[in-house]
Amino acid sequence: PLGICLQFGKEILNGLMFLHKHEVYHGDLKTPNVLLSIEKRTRITDFGSLARTVTHCPPEMHENPLLCNEKTDVYEFAMTMFELFALEWPFK
């Protein structure tokens, strides 16, 4: 449902904003890396992986796989939201 997707998106975005405030970047944000707690709150996981998910990476990460910053996380957030709303992976 739309309301649940928007709530999860808001929580993921709040988590990213917290991380970025502390100069921490995820680099591989996607739905399998967002867990749901017992209280139905989202938790971002799987930090520090060098393996990138091609369908979620911005084009500039294909040229520089080690690139990881606010902009790359925002692009991956958009692809994650696509997953939530479309119920499928982007660029399938």
Short mmCIF file of all heavy atoms in Angstrom, two decimals, residues 15-46:
data_model
loop_
_atom_site.label_atom_id
_atom_site.label_comp_id
_atom_site.label_asym_id
_atom_site.label_seq_id
_atom_site.Cartn_x
_atom_site.Cartn_y
_atom_site.Cartn_z
N GLY A 15 17.29 7.76 8.03
CA GLY A 15 18.51 7.02 8.36
C GLY A 15 19.69 7.48 7.53
O GLY A 15 20.80 7.66 8.05
N LEU A 16 19.47 7.68 6.23
CA LEU A 16 20.55 8.17 5.36
C LEU A 16 21.00 9.56 5.78
O LEU A 16 22.20 9.85 5.79
CB LEU A 16 20.10 8.19 3.90
CG LEU A 16 20.09 6.86 3.17
CD1 LEU A 16 19.59 7.06 1.74
CD2 LEU A 16 21.47 6.23 3.17
N MET A 17 20.06 10.42 6.13
CA MET A 17 20.42 11.77 6.56
C MET A 17 21.28 11.73 7.82
O MET A 17 22.25 12.47 7.95
CB MET A 17 19.16 12.62 6.77
CG MET A 17 18.48 12.99 5.46
SD MET A 17 16.85 13.77 5.57
CE MET A 17 16.96 14.81 6.98
N PHE A 18 20.94 10.84 8.75
CA PHE A 18 21.74 10.67 9.96
C PHE A 18 23.15 10.21 9.61
O PHE A 18 24.14 10.75 10.10
CB PHE A 18 21.08 9.67 10.91
CG PHE A 18 21.89 9.38 12.14
CD1 PHE A 18 21.82 10.23 13.23
CD2 PHE A 18 22.72 8.27 12.19
CE1 PHE A 18 22.60 9.97 14.37
CE2 PHE A 18 23.48 8.00 13.31
CZ PHE A 18 23.42 8.86 14.41
N LEU A 19 23.23 9.21 8.74
CA LEU A 19 24.54 8.70 8.34
C LEU A 19 25.37 9.78 7.66
O LEU A 19 26.55 9.97 7.98
CB LEU A 19 24.38 7.50 7.40
CG LEU A 19 23.76 6.25 8.01
CD1 LEU A 19 23.49 5.22 6.92
CD2 LEU A 19 24.68 5.67 9.07
N HIS A 20 24.77 10.49 6.73
CA HIS A 20 25.49 11.52 5.98
C HIS A 20 25.94 12.66 6.89
O HIS A 20 27.01 13.23 6.68
CB HIS A 20 24.64 12.05 4.83
CG HIS A 20 24.39 11.02 3.78
ND1 HIS A 20 23.48 11.20 2.78
CD2 HIS A 20 24.93 9.78 3.57
CE1 HIS A 20 23.46 10.12 2.00
NE2 HIS A 20 24.34 9.25 2.47
N LYS A 21 25.16 12.96 7.91
CA LYS A 21 25.54 13.99 8.88
C LYS A 21 26.86 13.61 9.56
O LYS A 21 27.65 14.48 9.94
CB LYS A 21 24.42 14.14 9.91
CG LYS A 21 24.69 15.16 10.99
CD LYS A 21 23.50 15.23 11.93
CE LYS A 21 23.81 16.13 13.12
NZ LYS A 21 22.71 16.16 14.07
N HIS A 22 27.10 12.31 9.68
CA HIS A 22 28.31 11.80 10.32
C HIS A 22 29.34 11.32 9.28
O HIS A 22 30.25 10.55 9.62
CB HIS A 22 27.96 10.69 11.30
CG HIS A 22 27.10 11.18 12.43
ND1 HIS A 22 27.60 11.89 13.49
CD2 HIS A 22 25.76 11.11 12.63
CE1 HIS A 22 26.62 12.21 14.31
NE2 HIS A 22 25.48 11.75 13.80
N GLU A 23 29.13 11.75 8.03
CA GLU A 23 30.03 11.42 6.91
C GLU A 23 30.21 9.92 6.72
O GLU A 23 31.30 9.42 6.43
CB GLU A 23 31.37 12.12 7.07
CG GLU A 23 31.24 13.64 7.04
CD GLU A 23 32.56 14.36 7.11
OE1 GLU A 23 33.62 13.71 7.01
OE2 GLU A 23 32.52 15.59 7.27
N VAL A 24 29.10 9.19 6.89
CA VAL A 24 29.06 7.75 6.63
C VAL A 24 28.17 7.56 5.42
O VAL A 24 27.06 8.10 5.36
CB VAL A 24 28.51 6.97 7.85
CG1 VAL A 24 28.35 5.50 7.52
CG2 VAL A 24 29.39 7.18 9.06
N TYR A 25 28.63 6.76 4.45
CA TYR A 25 27.89 6.52 3.21
C TYR A 25 27.69 5.03 3.05
O TYR A 25 28.56 4.23 3.38
CB TYR A 25 28.63 7.13 2.02
CG TYR A 25 29.05 8.55 2.32
CD1 TYR A 25 30.37 8.87 2.56
CD2 TYR A 25 28.09 9.55 2.42
CE1 TYR A 25 30.74 10.17 2.88
CE2 TYR A 25 28.45 10.85 2.75
CZ TYR A 25 29.78 11.15 2.98
OH TYR A 25 30.13 12.43 3.31
N HIS A 26 26.55 4.64 2.53
CA HIS A 26 26.23 3.22 2.44
C HIS A 26 26.88 2.57 1.22
O HIS A 26 27.63 1.62 1.34
CB HIS A 26 24.71 3.01 2.41
CG HIS A 26 24.33 1.59 2.64
ND1 HIS A 26 24.36 0.66 1.63
CD2 HIS A 26 23.94 0.95 3.76
CE1 HIS A 26 24.00 -0.51 2.12
NE2 HIS A 26 23.73 -0.37 3.41
N GLY A 27 26.55 3.05 0.04
CA GLY A 27 27.17 2.54 -1.18
C GLY A 27 26.51 1.34 -1.83
O GLY A 27 26.88 0.96 -2.93
N ASP A 28 25.54 0.72 -1.17
CA ASP A 28 24.83 -0.41 -1.79
C ASP A 28 23.42 -0.52 -1.21
O ASP A 28 22.98 -1.59 -0.82
CB ASP A 28 25.60 -1.71 -1.58
CG ASP A 28 25.08 -2.85 -2.45
OD1 ASP A 28 24.58 -2.57 -3.56
OD2 ASP A 28 25.17 -4.01 -2.02
N LEU A 29 22.72 0.60 -1.19
CA LEU A 29 21.37 0.61 -0.63
C LEU A 29 20.40 -0.07 -1.60
O LEU A 29 20.37 0.22 -2.79
CB LEU A 29 20.91 2.05 -0.37
CG LEU A 29 19.60 2.20 0.39
CD1 LEU A 29 19.72 1.63 1.79
CD2 LEU A 29 19.19 3.65 0.44
N LYS A 30 19.62 -1.00 -1.06
CA LYS A 30 18.60 -1.74 -1.80
C LYS A 30 17.70 -2.40 -0.77
O LYS A 30 18.05 -2.45 0.42
CB LYS A 30 19.23 -2.78 -2.73
CG LYS A 30 20.10 -3.78 -1.99
CD LYS A 30 20.86 -4.67 -2.93
CE LYS A 30 21.82 -5.54 -2.14
NZ LYS A 30 22.72 -6.28 -2.99
N THR A 31 16.55 -2.89 -1.17
CA THR A 31 15.61 -3.44 -0.18
C THR A 31 16.19 -4.60 0.64
O THR A 31 15.89 -4.67 1.83
CB THR A 31 14.28 -3.86 -0.83
OG1 THR A 31 14.52 -4.75 -1.91
CG2 THR A 31 13.51 -2.65 -1.32
N PRO A 32 17.00 -5.50 0.09
CA PRO A 32 17.55 -6.55 0.96
C PRO A 32 18.46 -6.01 2.07
O PRO A 32 18.73 -6.71 3.04
CB PRO A 32 18.35 -7.43 -0.01
CG PRO A 32 17.72 -7.21 -1.33
CD PRO A 32 17.30 -5.77 -1.32
N ASN A 33 18.92 -4.75 1.94
CA ASN A 33 19.77 -4.15 2.97
C ASN A 33 18.99 -3.24 3.91
O ASN A 33 19.58 -2.48 4.67
CB ASN A 33 20.91 -3.36 2.32
CG ASN A 33 21.90 -4.26 1.62
OD1 ASN A 33 21.96 -5.46 1.90
ND2 ASN A 33 22.66 -3.72 0.72
N VAL A 34 17.67 -3.33 3.84
CA VAL A 34 16.81 -2.60 4.78
C VAL A 34 15.95 -3.64 5.50
O VAL A 34 15.16 -4.34 4.89
CB VAL A 34 15.91 -1.58 4.06
CG1 VAL A 34 15.01 -0.87 5.06
CG2 VAL A 34 16.75 -0.57 3.28
N LEU A 35 16.17 -3.75 6.80
CA LEU A 35 15.42 -4.72 7.59
C LEU A 35 14.24 -4.04 8.26
O LEU A 35 14.22 -2.83 8.44
CB LEU A 35 16.33 -5.34 8.65
CG LEU A 35 17.59 -6.03 8.14
CD1 LEU A 35 18.39 -6.60 9.30
CD2 LEU A 35 17.26 -7.12 7.14
N LEU A 36 13.28 -4.85 8.65
CA LEU A 36 12.09 -4.36 9.34
C LEU A 36 12.11 -4.92 10.76
O LEU A 36 12.19 -6.14 10.96
CB LEU A 36 10.84 -4.83 8.59
CG LEU A 36 9.54 -4.15 8.89
CD1 LEU A 36 9.63 -2.65 8.64
CD2 LEU A 36 8.44 -4.75 8.04
N SER A 37 12.07 -4.03 11.76
CA SER A 37 12.11 -4.47 13.16
C SER A 37 10.75 -5.02 13.59
O SER A 37 9.75 -4.89 12.86
CB SER A 37 12.50 -3.29 14.06
OG SER A 37 11.44 -2.37 14.15
N ILE A 38 10.70 -5.57 14.78
CA ILE A 38 9.45 -6.09 15.34
C ILE A 38 8.41 -4.98 15.42
O ILE A 38 7.23 -5.20 15.20
CB ILE A 38 9.70 -6.71 16.73
CG1 ILE A 38 10.55 -7.97 16.59
CG2 ILE A 38 8.39 -7.01 17.45
CD1 ILE A 38 11.02 -8.56 17.89
N GLU A 39 8.90 -3.75 15.67
CA GLU A 39 8.01 -2.59 15.77
C GLU A 39 7.63 -2.04 14.39
O GLU A 39 7.00 -0.99 14.28
CB GLU A 39 8.66 -1.47 16.58
CG GLU A 39 9.01 -1.85 18.00
CD GLU A 39 10.36 -2.57 18.11
OE1 GLU A 39 11.20 -2.43 17.20
OE2 GLU A 39 10.55 -3.27 19.10
N LYS A 40 8.05 -2.75 13.32
CA LYS A 40 7.81 -2.33 11.93
C LYS A 40 8.50 -1.00 11.61
O LYS A 40 7.95 -0.13 10.94
CB LYS A 40 6.32 -2.27 11.61
CG LYS A 40 5.70 -3.65 11.70
CD LYS A 40 4.33 -3.66 11.10
CE LYS A 40 3.91 -5.07 11.11
NZ LYS A 40 2.93 -5.74 11.15
N ARG A 41 9.73 -0.87 12.09
CA ARG A 41 10.58 0.29 11.79
C ARG A 41 11.73 -0.21 10.92
O ARG A 41 12.23 -1.32 11.10
CB ARG A 41 11.15 0.90 13.08
CG ARG A 41 10.11 1.34 14.10
CD ARG A 41 9.28 2.54 13.67
NE ARG A 41 10.03 3.67 13.21
CZ ARG A 41 10.37 4.72 13.95
NH1 ARG A 41 10.01 4.77 15.21
NH2 ARG A 41 11.05 5.72 13.43
N THR A 42 12.14 0.61 9.97
CA THR A 42 13.21 0.19 9.07
C THR A 42 14.57 0.36 9.72
O THR A 42 14.79 1.27 10.53
CB THR A 42 13.17 0.98 7.75
OG1 THR A 42 13.32 2.36 8.03
CG2 THR A 42 11.87 0.73 7.00
N ARG A 43 15.49 -0.52 9.34
CA ARG A 43 16.87 -0.48 9.82
C ARG A 43 17.78 -0.72 8.62
O ARG A 43 17.67 -1.75 7.95
CB ARG A 43 17.14 -1.55 10.88
CG ARG A 43 16.25 -1.46 12.11
CD ARG A 43 16.62 -0.26 12.95
NE ARG A 43 15.83 -0.22 14.17
CZ ARG A 43 14.87 0.67 14.40
NH1 ARG A 43 14.56 1.56 13.49
NH2 ARG A 43 14.21 0.66 15.54
N ILE A 44 18.68 0.21 8.35
CA ILE A 44 19.62 0.07 7.23
C ILE A 44 20.77 -0.80 7.68
O ILE A 44 21.35 -0.58 8.74
CB ILE A 44 20.12 1.46 6.76
CG1 ILE A 44 18.94 2.33 6.32
CG2 ILE A 44 21.13 1.30 5.64
CD1 ILE A 44 19.32 3.77 6.02
N THR A 45 21.11 -1.81 6.86
CA THR A 45 22.17 -2.76 7.22
C THR A 45 23.16 -2.92 6.08
O THR A 45 23.01 -2.31 5.03
CB THR A 45 21.56 -4.14 7.54
OG1 THR A 45 20.94 -4.65 6.36
CG2 THR A 45 20.55 -4.06 8.66
N ASP A 46 24.15 -3.78 6.30
CA ASP A 46 25.13 -4.21 5.29
C ASP A 46 26.02 -3.05 4.82
O ASP A 46 26.09 -2.73 3.64
CB ASP A 46 24.43 -4.87 4.10
CG ASP A 46 25.41 -5.69 3.27
OD1 ASP A 46 26.47 -6.07 3.79
OD2 ASP A 46 25.12 -5.93 2.09
#
